[in-house]
Amino acid sequence: GNSVTQMEGPVTLSEEAFLTINCTYTATGYPSLFWYVQYPGEGLQLLLKATKADDKGSNKGFEATYRKETTSFHLEKGSVQVSDSAVYFCALGGSNYKLTFGKGTLLTVNP
Amino acid sequence: EAGVTQFPSHSVIEKGQTVTLRCDPISGHDNLYWYRRVMGKEIKFLLHFVKESKQDESGMPNNRFLAERTGGTYSTLKVQPAELEDSGVYFCASSRATGHFAAFFGQGTRLTVV
């Protein structure tokens, strides 16, 4: 079946540091890949997505590239801000529109 | 536009009691999903409604869980009787049309069974 493995947290960075959160997946077929974010006190929201190999999803300065050869979808941001502190979830979606999530990574950015 | 709303935000009940969680999707969204995150584990799919019909309930853990969506608007998830392992955060999500992954989730209901 489908599964997602993402970097265990927590991750603590200083403002303006470079962020990478690793995510790898196992899936049959050609899944879509997602990053969701949950800010404190809020629900999950879609951050970015990629629907086929070599696609790059981007939003709010975050990027992730769908790498079929390494079955990865690592999240990156060049310069994090305090407001980026949140829990980040990598997920994949199959043909039935059911999402399979990773365990989540807590990011704390200090000023 | 109001987002996905869940009630209550937190519930503490004793083992053997009944609890009902409610989800109000974004207005006009036909697709409604329930997910659950048990402490320290992944968020897992429970079921999917299209309007009032259950499209996929393959993730429901057992028959102590009952989901309904009468009239195709809000949904309820009842756990009866609750067990300790049911503790976790229950998320609801919605999407406008079939063929779209859920983009917006509610804040979740944290259920603690003691």
Side-chain angles (χ1 to χ4, degrees):
Chain A
N2 296 340
S3 67
V4 173
T5 302
Q6 69 178 94
M7 182 173 154
E8 299 264 344
V11 174
T12 303
L13 297 173
S14 298
E15 207 163 24
E16 299 184 3
F18 184 85
L19 168 71
T20 299
I21 301 178
N22 290 338
C23 172
T24 57
Y25 67 90
T26 303
T28 54
Y30 304 95
S32 295
L33 299 174
F34 306 86
W35 278 98
Y36 284 82
V37 58
Q38 185 178 24
Y39 297 104
E42 299 183 14
L44 280 82
Q45 57 186 271
L46 179 63
L47 178 61
L48 54 83
K49 67 178 182 182
T51 57
K52 62 182 187 295
D54 299 325
D55 268 3
K56 178 186 285 188
S58 61
N59 186 23
K60 299 183 181 180
F62 291 88
E63 293 183 339
T65 301
Y66 189 147
R67 300 284 189 203
K68 194 166 187 296
E69 63 276 13
T70 54
T71 62
S72 66
F73 193 55
H74 304 322
L75 182 69
E76 297 182 335
K77 186 173 185 182
S79 176
V80 293
Q81 305 300 311
V82 172
S83 57
D84 293 326
S85 298
V87 181
Y88 292 82
F89 294 90
C90 185
L92 71 81
S95 58
N96 56 6
Y97 301 101
K98 185 189 305 184
L99 293 165
T100 299
F101 286 89
K103 290 186 178 181
T105 302
L106 173 63
L107 170 67
T108 302
V109 180
N110 295 318
Chain B
E1 176 181 79
V4 178
T5 309
Q6 293 187 242
F7 305 96
S9 57
H10 193 182
S11 179
V12 181
I13 62 171
E14 292 185 352
K15 177 182 169 181
Q17 289 186 322
T18 297
V19 63
T20 300
L21 314 181
R22 172 170 168 148
C23 169
D24 287 69
I26 294 172
S27 178
H29 282 195
D30 287 342
N31 293 272
L32 187 149
Y33 308 84
W34 283 98
Y35 286 81
R36 175 174 75 168
R37 186 184 190 198
V38 172
M39 185 63 67
K41 304 225 168 169
E42 300 85 351
I43 300 171
K44 293 209 168 177
F45 169 84
L46 296 179
L47 87 160
H48 170 204
F49 283 100
V50 177
K51 297 185 180 178
E52 66 274 11
S53 299
K54 290 176 185 174
Q55 183 79 12
D56 182 350
E57 52 184 330
S58 60
M60 295 287 264
N62 51 60
N63 59 10
R64 295 185 293 102
F65 289 75
L66 175 64
E68 294 180 322
R69 193 183 182 195
T70 307
T73 54
Y74 70 90
S75 174
T76 58
L77 179 64
K78 182 192 288 187
V79 185
Q80 179 183 28
E83 298 289 345
L84 298 179
E85 65 264 24
D86 300 333
S87 295
V89 181
Y90 291 76
F91 291 101
C92 176
S94 68
S95 65
R96 181 173 299 278
T98 302
H100 290 80
F101 290 96
F104 295 97
F105 285 66
Q107 293 181 341
T109 294
R110 180 175 295 280
L111 174 64
T112 304
V113 182
V114 297

